[in-house]
């Protein structure tokens, strides 16, 4: 496979395929540079003084780590001046960030979970950044952060691009602009992303599942049945043995599935019912669902396709079942009985 840079890949998507325009290309390049800066900060670890608690809570009431706040700032600062965005929304911010008047406004909305897998930051386990791009509706009211929220309330099927970066042994950027899924590895010496994966495909069948088993007793009955069937292995109705992998960073767990197949689940549970689930629809579920579907997989809540949910608020949460198509279909069918 030819070794192309991210810039080269994006130019081809724009110039030859007409899949993206120059603004979207610029947006993705800016996000990639921000992710590179986040990767550097993470790589310094304790030496950079960036580990530990920030001493604040986010809008979801979760304690923020210093790196959550730093990553959020890096993405905001990198993206607000370029003229490609109308507004940004983040898991770490109560309200959308509108573009200051001193900068031109663009046609896109950027949403992100700046640092996914916060509980793994201080223990040197893979974490990531997840992002999603929407078109800003014509005539949207962006006069205040409160008013701007309405522009974001679009189903995941409207995403024009989505991606994630995994900060693991290597820093990897996985991207879709609606034309399949490609991946890039950060070249630390040269300082840029180089393509290392193309037309990524998730095998339809799998025998690997990923779920926080500690929550088992809180799940709904269909999920209890599905996971018990997998645990019964060859002796049960599924007729094969399964293995389990759980990192606890969605980005790392889903990346494993994009790479070699599997099923990732953060199902509805009775502890989370009032909140609507654990994972955030617009910063986590939607971008990951777009990537998984573009790679031939499937993504549902057990009851509906994630990408078809029309959000009522930007911080909305949902149950998540995603990965190898036949296994996601099986789990979803069990919810519909
Ligand atoms: P975060 O964005 O604050 O890190 O929360 C999301 C993370 C996911 O990456 C992961 O799948 C999940 O929370 C794990 O949560 P838990 O350890 O509570 O099961
Ligand atoms: Mg997250």
């Amino acid at each position: 496979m030819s070794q192309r840079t991210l810039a080269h890949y994006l130019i081809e998507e724009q110039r030859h395929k007409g899949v993206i325009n120059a603004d979207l290309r610029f947006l993705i390049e800016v996000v990639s540079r921000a992710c590179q800066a986040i990767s550097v900060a993470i790589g310094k670890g304790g030496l950079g003084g960036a580990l530990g608690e920030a001493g604040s809570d986010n809008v979801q009431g979760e304690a923020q780590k210093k790196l959550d706040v730093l990553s959020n700032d890096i993405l905001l600062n990198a993206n607000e001046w370029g003229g490609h965005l109308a507004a940004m929304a983040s898991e770490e911010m109560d309200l959308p960030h509108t573009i200051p008047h001193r900068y031109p406004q663009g046609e896109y909305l950027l949403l992100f979970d700046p640092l996914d897998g916060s509980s793994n930051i201080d223990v040197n386990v893979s974490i990531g950044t997840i992002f999603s791009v929407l078109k800003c509706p014509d005539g949207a009211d962006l006069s205040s952060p409160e008013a701007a929220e309405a522009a974001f309330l679009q189903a995941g099927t409207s995403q024009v691009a989505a991606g994630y970066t995994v900060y693991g042994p290597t820093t990897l950027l996985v991207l879709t602009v609606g034309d399949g899924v490609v991946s890039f590895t950060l070249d630390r010496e040269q300082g840029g992303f180089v393509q290392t994966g193309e037309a990524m495909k998730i095998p339809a069948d799998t025998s690997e599942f990923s779920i926080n088993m500690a929550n088992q007793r809180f799940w709904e009955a269909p999920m209890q049945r599905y996971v018990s069937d997998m645990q019964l292995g060859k002796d049960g109705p599924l007729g094969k043995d399964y293995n389990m992998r759980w990192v606890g960073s969605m980005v790392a767990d889903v990346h494993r599935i994009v790479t070699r197949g599997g099923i990732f689940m953060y199902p509805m549970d009775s502890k989370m019912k009032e909140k609507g689930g654990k994972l955030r629809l617009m910063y986590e579920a939607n971008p990951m669902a777009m990537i998984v579907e573009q790679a031939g997989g499937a993504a549902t809540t057990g009851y509906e396709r994630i990408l078809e949910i029309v959000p009522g608020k930007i911080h909305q949460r949902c149950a998540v079942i995603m990965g190898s198509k036949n296994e996601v279909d099986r789990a979803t069918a069990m919810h519909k009985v």
Side-chain angles (χ1 to χ4, degrees):
M1 191 186 58
S2 63
Q3 292 282 291
R4 287 189 298 184
T5 61
L6 173 65
H8 191 169
Y9 170 79
L10 292 171
I11 283 281
E12 287 193 356
E13 290 298 302
Q14 179 194 341
R15 195 186 288 158
H16 296 137
K17 295 197 176 173
V19 174
I20 58 174
N21 64 21
D23 275 0
L24 185 51
R25 170 168 62 83
F26 180 68
L27 186 163
I28 294 166
E29 287 195 39
V30 172
V31 169
S32 82
R33 281 196 288 274
C35 290
Q36 203 175 315
I38 295 170
S39 176
V40 170
I42 291 168
K44 286 189 179 145
L47 300 178
L51 299 185
E53 306 294 325
S56 50
D57 285 353
N58 67 12
V59 59
Q60 344 257 346
E62 298 157 341
Q64 291 177 306
K65 301 278 184 186
K66 284 185 195 165
L67 272 172
D68 284 324
V69 177
L70 181 68
S71 306
N72 195 61
D73 288 348
I74 289 173
L75 280 156
L76 288 180
N77 293 335
N79 279 287
E80 70 174 4
W81 50 267
H84 54 290
L85 287 182
M88 289 179 259
S90 163
E91 182 180 308
E92 300 299 336
M93 300 187 304
D94 196 352
L95 292 168
H97 178 91
T98 49
I99 302 300
H101 291 305
R102 60 185 182 280
Y103 302 124
Q105 283 193 3
E107 59 177 325
Y108 292 106
L109 300 169
L110 176 64
L111 301 93
F112 45 82
D113 176 356
L115 209 57
D116 177 62
S118 302
S119 69
N120 281 325
I121 293 176
D122 290 344
V123 292
N124 204 22
V125 170
S126 294
I127 47 184
T129 296
I130 310 174
F131 66 94
S132 157
V133 186
L134 294 164
K135 275 286 250 323
C136 186
D138 288 341
D141 181 357
L142 302 171
S143 57
S144 68
E146 289 80 2
E149 178 163 352
F152 287 88
L153 303 179
Q154 306 178 39
T157 46
S158 302
Q159 292 172 107
V160 293
Y164 62 80
T165 308
V166 194
Y167 311 108
T170 56
T171 291
L172 272 183
L173 171 67
V174 177
L175 173 72
T176 182
V177 291
D179 182 28
V181 179
V182 284
S183 70
F184 304 85
T185 301
L186 179 63
D187 181 332
R188 295 184 201 275
E189 280 81 48
Q190 306 269 0
F193 282 97
V194 176
Q195 190 170 357
T196 43
E198 62 186 343
M200 296 175 83
K201 284 281 167 258
I202 300 174
D205 290 300
T206 184
S207 48
E208 200 161 73
F209 69 93
S210 186
I211 194 165
N212 185 346
M213 290 295 298
N215 294 327
Q216 186 166 20
R217 72 186 192 282
F218 303 111
W219 301 333
E220 295 176 332
M223 190 49 66
Q224 300 264 7
R225 273 198 302 277
Y226 175 58
V227 174
S228 321
D229 284 355
M230 286 193 286
Q231 286 176 300
L232 287 171
K234 275 197 180 125
D235 302 330
L238 305 182
K240 60 176 176 178
D241 289 334
Y242 284 76
N243 200 0
M244 196 196 92
R245 285 286 180 277
W246 178 255
V247 177
S249 301
M250 183 196 199
V251 90
D253 283 311
V254 173
H255 179 65
R256 184 183 56 255
I257 287 165
V258 169
T259 308
R260 69 176 188 207
I263 180 166
F264 170 87
M265 295 162 285
Y266 216 112
M268 187 57 70
D269 73 41
S270 53
K271 287 186 291 149
M272 291 282 170
K273 198 140 192 130
E274 247 169 57
K275 290 183 167 176
K278 161 87 186 187
L279 297 175
R280 273 58 46 138
L281 173 64
M282 304 203 71
Y283 317 112
E284 297 170 323
N286 269 344
M288 291 311 219
M290 182 179 183
I291 287 170
V292 164
E293 285 199 5
Q294 283 284 320
T300 76
T301 63
Y303 300 98
E304 60 187 327
R305 184 179 168 218
I306 287 173
L307 292 180
E308 287 175 5
I309 300 172
V310 179
K313 49 187 174 65
I314 50 171
H315 296 301
Q316 189 164 321
R317 298 173 187 239
C318 69
V320 171
I321 301 173
M322 61 170 63
S324 291
K325 183 157 188 336
N326 292 342
E327 212 60 56
V328 173
D329 287 352
R330 190 201 309 274
T332 306
M334 291 179 83
H335 283 75
K336 289 184 175 159
V337 173

